[in-house]
């Protein structure tokens, strides 16, 4: 029997993935060096005008406050409050993190400085000559090289989010020479703008997956994506990549580009390739390079993307939800003789390595005890593969064994993902697949609830004569 159900502590994918990614990295970087001379980048960076000089005394007379940080001068007409006055600290904490993310020399990043305007009254900024000429009507935020503008927000989280979003644009433009095409530019700003901030310790985390709604008032990206999916408007990856920020975007577009960037940046099989793209932002064929990087497993990626967008929630664990699809080295076999497989409670969909055929009957029998969750104060919820009725996810009891048959690659491009319509199995059931394909199993749980699960179920699978 094939070994396919990986048991590991931090992620649900096999280590072999890493090798392929590293091999790919080599050829890609060599290629990029040939086409992205650093001189081209330096020229692009030098085109940004220096930040304007401000006259602090004059601005104070006009009713502005000027807040100084190490990396930012922040001009605002907002009254003093802890959440506003700490914004320079947030910027100062963000810059070293951005330098690390974009592989910028920390000494160079330390000298980097921006002018940020956080504004309530646009007319007042206009009268003081502090608005971006020709772009005075920007919706919520704007970045032009070393200067950025953020319209004030009623939520402290969202005000910081927009400031970080524009800061990411400024940092990328003035260090990488360009932010890349619209979907990537906004996707990166949304990815890294989504954060956690501890004002007491000054600890900032960029690229966070919000744990719940209360943590990120007004952010709402997960709900916007889920609502679109429920209205049958799930965007395939190519459609997200067509989102064009040369026109004002609606907030749902920001939700889609965030979701795609988050999915690719957190997924153990796609992360390394996705991060290579940050060296390619000046390339006019950026999207083509993206397509080439992901060509060999694009169908797997689309299938997982559909599952991600359809099941997206606060605290979504992209890593544990990652699916280890069959590879040429571990190709699935037809189920002729009975097989036993393990299903890890702490992972999402898991490949059995078994091919089942349309119209034939298969008996699945499951056993074992595992932990499928815990009370808020700690006591675990033990479960068997029949599930528990303490809680439900997607209409099934937590812990219940579910099956899916993935018919790819027979269907050239999946219009849908097999994992979106699972068959409930429980302790014992017969499965008669509607189409031939590889059998996948999981123990039912929310994508946000996997990390407190422990143990596994054992499943026997046999053809019913
Ligand atoms: Zn933006």
């Amino acid at each position: 029997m094939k070994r396919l159900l990986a048991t590991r502590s931090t992620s649900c994918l096999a280590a072999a993935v890493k090798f392929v990614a590293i091999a790919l990295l080599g050829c890609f970087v060599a290629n990029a060096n040939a086409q992205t001379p650093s001189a081209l980048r330096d020229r692009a960076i030098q085109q940004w005008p220096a930040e304007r000089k401000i006259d602090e005394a004059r601005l104070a007379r006009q009713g502005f406050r000027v807040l100084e940080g190490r990396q930012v001068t922040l001009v605002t007409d907002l009254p003093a409050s802890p959440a506003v006055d700490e914004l320079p600290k947030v910027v100062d904490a963000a810059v070293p993190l951005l330098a690390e993310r974009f592989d910028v020399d920390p000494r160079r990043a330390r000298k980097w400085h921006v002018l940020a305007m956080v504004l309530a009254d646009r007319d007042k900024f206009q009268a003081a000559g502090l608005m971006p000429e020709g772009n005075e009507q920007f919706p919520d935020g704007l970045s032009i090289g070393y200067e950025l503008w953020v319209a004030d927000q009623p939520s402290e989280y969202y005000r910081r989010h927009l400031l970080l979003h524009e800061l990411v644009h400024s940092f990328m433009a003035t260090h990488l020479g360009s932010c890349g095409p619209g979907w990537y530019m906004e996707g990166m700003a949304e990815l890294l703008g989504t954060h956690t901030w501890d004002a007491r310790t000054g600890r900032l985390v960029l690229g966070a997956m919000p744990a719940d709604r209360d943590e990120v008032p007004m952010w709402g990206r997960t709900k916007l994506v889920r609502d679109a999916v429920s209205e049958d408007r799930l965007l395939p990856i190519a459609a997200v990549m067509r989102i064009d920020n040369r026109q004002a975007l609606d907030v749902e577009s920001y939700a889609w580009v965030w979701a795609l960037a988050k999915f690719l940046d957190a997924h153990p099989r796609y992360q390394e390739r996705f991060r290579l793209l940050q060296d390619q932002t000046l390339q006019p064929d950026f999207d083509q390079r993206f397509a080439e990087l992901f060509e060999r497993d694009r169908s797997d990626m689309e299938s997982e993307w559909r599952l991600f967008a359809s099941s997206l929630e606060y605290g979504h664990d992209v890593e544990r939800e990652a699916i280890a699809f069959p590879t040429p080295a571990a190709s699935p076999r037809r189920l002729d003789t009975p097989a036993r497989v393990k299903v890890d409670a702490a992972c999402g969909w898991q490949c059995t390595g078994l091919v089942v055929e349309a119209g034939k009957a298969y008996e699945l029998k499951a056993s074992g005890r595992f932990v499928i969750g815990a009370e808020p104060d700690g006591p675990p919820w033990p479960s068997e593969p029949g599930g528990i009725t303490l809680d439900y996810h997607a209409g099934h009891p937590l812990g219940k064994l579910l099956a899916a048959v993935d018919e790819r690659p027979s269907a050239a491009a999946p219009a849908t993902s097999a994992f979106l319509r699972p068959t409930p199995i429980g302790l014992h059931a017969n499965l008669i697949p509607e189409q031939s394909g590889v059998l996948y199993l999981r123990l039912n749980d929310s994508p946000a609830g996997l990390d407190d699960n422990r143990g596994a179920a054992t499943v026997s699978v046999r053809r019913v004569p």
Side-chain angles (χ1 to χ4, degrees), residues 61 77 133 137 162 171 192 268 280 283 285 310 323 326 343 373 382 398 414 419 453 459:
R61 283 196 301 278
D77 58 342
E133 215 183 307
Q137 298 310 316
L162 290 183
F171 193 90
L192 298 172
Q280 307 296 318
Q283 301 302 327
D285 60 348
S310 306
I323 302 174
V343 184
L398 285 197
F419 308 104
N453 297 353
V459 183

Side-chain angles (χ1 to χ4, degrees), residues 165-166 169 186 189 254:
H165 176 117
E166 300 307 333
H169 287 329
E186 298 305 336
Y254 285 106

Side-chain angles (χ1 to χ4, degrees), residues 51 54 143 201 209 215 237 249 261 319 333 392 395:
E51 63 184 89
I54 57 155
S143 148
T201 61
M209 174 62 93
E215 208 176 74
I237 290 173
L249 295 180
E319 204 176 346
R333 70 168 173 94
Y392 279 70

Side-chain angles (χ1 to χ4, degrees), residues 357-434:
E357 292 173 58
K360 295 187 174 164
Y362 298 87
E363 182 187 48
L364 278 75
K365 266 188 180 168
S367 62
R369 274 172 82 79
F370 46 88
V371 171
I372 200 67
E375 298 288 345
D377 56 347
W381 290 349
S383 176
E384 293 182 5
I388 55 171
T389 50
L390 275 174
D391 202 358
Y392 279 70
H393 172 70
H396 301 294
L398 285 197
K400 185 164 189 166
L401 179 69
L402 305 176
V405 176
D406 185 9
E407 71 267 48
R408 296 171 311 124
S410 62
T416 179
S417 167
F419 308 104
L420 295 177
R421 24 184 181 84
T423 306
I425 300 293
L427 287 165
H428 183 195
N430 278 3
L431 173 74
I432 305 175
E434 284 173 21

Side-chain angles (χ1 to χ4, degrees), residues 28 147 197 346 448:
F28 195 77
E147 298 185 345
W197 164 249

